[in-house]
Amino acid sequence: MTHFNLTDWIGFMGVCILLMAYLLQLLNLIGKESVWYVWMNIVGAGLSCLASILIHYVPFIILEATWMLVSVAALFRKKHHSIS
């Protein structure tokens, strides 16, 4: 049986959060513009990126960092629109 190390758990949690956000959005339980969806993408992609950094897997570092940064930009855009 395979035993998870800390890096595996970090990546596993990140992927679970990303998939949960996607599933909740597909089921129309949260909207793709909701703050919850954006935050789940930021946290999930951030954890997945961290795990990828820890295992030195550059393609997923790029993918997850980009996903996280796009989500952070969406959060700032959302906050800017709610202030105006």
Side-chain angles (χ1 to χ4, degrees):
M1 180 170 192
T2 304
H3 296 284
F4 278 16
N5 61 32
L6 180 59
T7 302
D8 295 326
W9 282 110
I10 293 169
F12 180 76
M13 293 306 300
V15 168
C16 283
I17 292 168
L18 288 170
L19 291 174
M20 183 62 66
Y22 184 61
L23 178 65
L24 291 171
Q25 192 271 326
L26 282 177
L27 296 173
N28 292 319
L29 296 174
I30 60 175
K32 65 181 179 181
E33 299 294 325
S34 76
V35 173
W36 281 104
Y37 183 73
V38 174
W39 270 110
M40 289 175 79
N41 276 283
I42 292 169
V43 172
L47 289 171
S48 296
C49 184
L50 175 59
S52 298
I53 290 168
L54 294 173
I55 64 170
H56 309 287
Y57 194 60
V58 176
F60 276 93
I61 294 170
I62 294 167
L63 173 68
E64 298 302 342
T66 301
W67 193 323
M68 184 180 70
L69 292 173
V70 168
S71 297
V72 167
L75 182 66
F76 279 114
R77 196 172 54 248
K78 183 172 242 1
K79 286 187 182 247
H80 175 63
H81 287 311
S82 66
I83 294 172
S84 344

